Amino acid sequence: MSFKDLQLNRPLLRAIAEAGYDNPTLVQERTIPLVLDKKHVITSAQTGTGKTAAFALPILQLLYDKQDTPKKGKKIRALVISPTRELAVQIDANFKTYGKHTNLRSTVIFGGTSIEPQKDILTKGVDILIATPGRLLDLHKQDVINLDYIETLVLDEADLMLDMGFIDDVKKIERLCPEEKQILLFSATMPFKVEQLANTILKSPERIEVTPTSSAAKNVSQVLYYVPKRNKVELCLHLLRNTIKGNILIFRRTKFGVDKLEQTLINNGYKVDTIHGDKAQNLRHEALSKFKNGYVNILIATDVAARGIDINDLDAVVNFDLPNVPETYVHRIGRTGRAGKTGFSYSLCSADEKPYVKTIQQLINVQIPIEEEHPYPLDPKAKPIIHKKQGSKYKKGRKGEGSKKKKKRWY
Ligand code: AMP
């Protein structure tokens, strides 16, 4: 199938050709006709499948076909809600790429940066708004945003949105839009919470599933290293020196872990940057640009900060910590091995993470090959190190038993 078969109009076809896309991806092939048909749609697809264009292209076409005279001032007619700022920025960039030969305008608003410039652009008028939930509600409250003319509402990365606690905000935003509108819901996974949300706000939706997780990341060569927790840093350095090459994304579970590993790698002469939720927006943006432009070849990230970000040309993914949610593993490794290239994923598993390997393997239906030839093998009998909470000796009474026995009472 070609983009022409999807009945897209000339300005869009021109922009698509300039972006270097030859044919629509599967998710685009299936989603675009339904969106053009004004259907409610639920698409389960991961980042990397071309899902952004799957909603951006038909939205641009629908708006283009039904343009008001510019004199009336632009009204926001399509609203895209995104859980993270990075993803929101990326979606806006896609709208701008595909809409460059139309006079449709889009803008992006997100928290953590100054609100005034965003207000200025909004008052000038846009057709398409991409927003994170908090900032959108904030600006709506200040009367800068009018959602009365919304025709299409997109909820992108719905599963992440709910994981991040945006459920009430999303419901509120949906209610602020007109009753008669088209809703498109995109989600990498379809947990019960997402189904529930979809059932309450979408009307007889069409469903599209593009990435069955069992065939996840076919182009990725996966390998697992069992290693004591205390040796993970050494093993990581060993692998960076000897095995892992190119552009590398390392995942850690916590922000603290990300910062700590960054310091270690810098001290060992590597060019590294990080993205996590505690970093200011401009610093995260800078880190991403440095990675994309090749100033650094290693990026360390938490899942939430990295989700949805389009990082091309990734040679390897390192799971420094294994994720406790198996779908997260699929998301992580799916960032490499794109566009027909082979990618590599290296997972470091300590004794306490062994149960995660089991659930991951169940989900992907693949036994991840184990590499035993490395300098820090884990004793197969090693028990997880459990840090027992040491109850404070002061909690139960003012004095510990020992001190009570030893001391003579003064009374
Ligand atoms: P997404 O899943 O929307 O994050 O898209 C992943 C990447 O695929 C982005 O870099 C897009 O620019 C690119 N892309 C989207 N659609 C196509 C297409 N039909 N052909 C080639 N690349 C595409």
Side-chain angles (χ1 to χ4, degrees), residues 322-380:
L322 275 178
N324 53 355
V325 177
E327 281 85 359
T328 305
Y329 177 84
V330 178
H331 289 308
R332 288 183 180 183
I333 69 164
R335 295 175 163 280
T336 177
R338 290 190 186 178
K341 284 202 295 185
T342 304
F344 294 89
S345 115
Y346 304 85
S347 302
L348 314 190
C349 175
S350 51
D352 57 320
E353 292 170 313
K354 281 184 178 173
Y356 304 155
V357 174
K358 213 170 139 196
T359 54
I360 290 166
Q361 295 189 147
Q362 271 165 0
L363 177 76
I364 61 175
N365 214 5
V366 165
Q367 289 286 324
I368 309 170
I370 300 164
E371 179 56 81
E372 285 171 352
E373 290 300 310
H374 68 87
Y376 311 98
L378 176 72
D379 175 358

Side-chain angles (χ1 to χ4, degrees), residues 3 20-25 28 46-53 90 94 98 308 310 312 338:
F3 279 106
Y21 302 175
D22 295 326
N23 292 305
T25 63
Q28 291 161 4
Q46 295 180 39
T47 302
T49 54
K51 68 183 174 63
T52 315
Q90 214 166 275
N94 280 17
Y98 309 138
D310 176 25
N312 292 319
R338 290 190 186 178

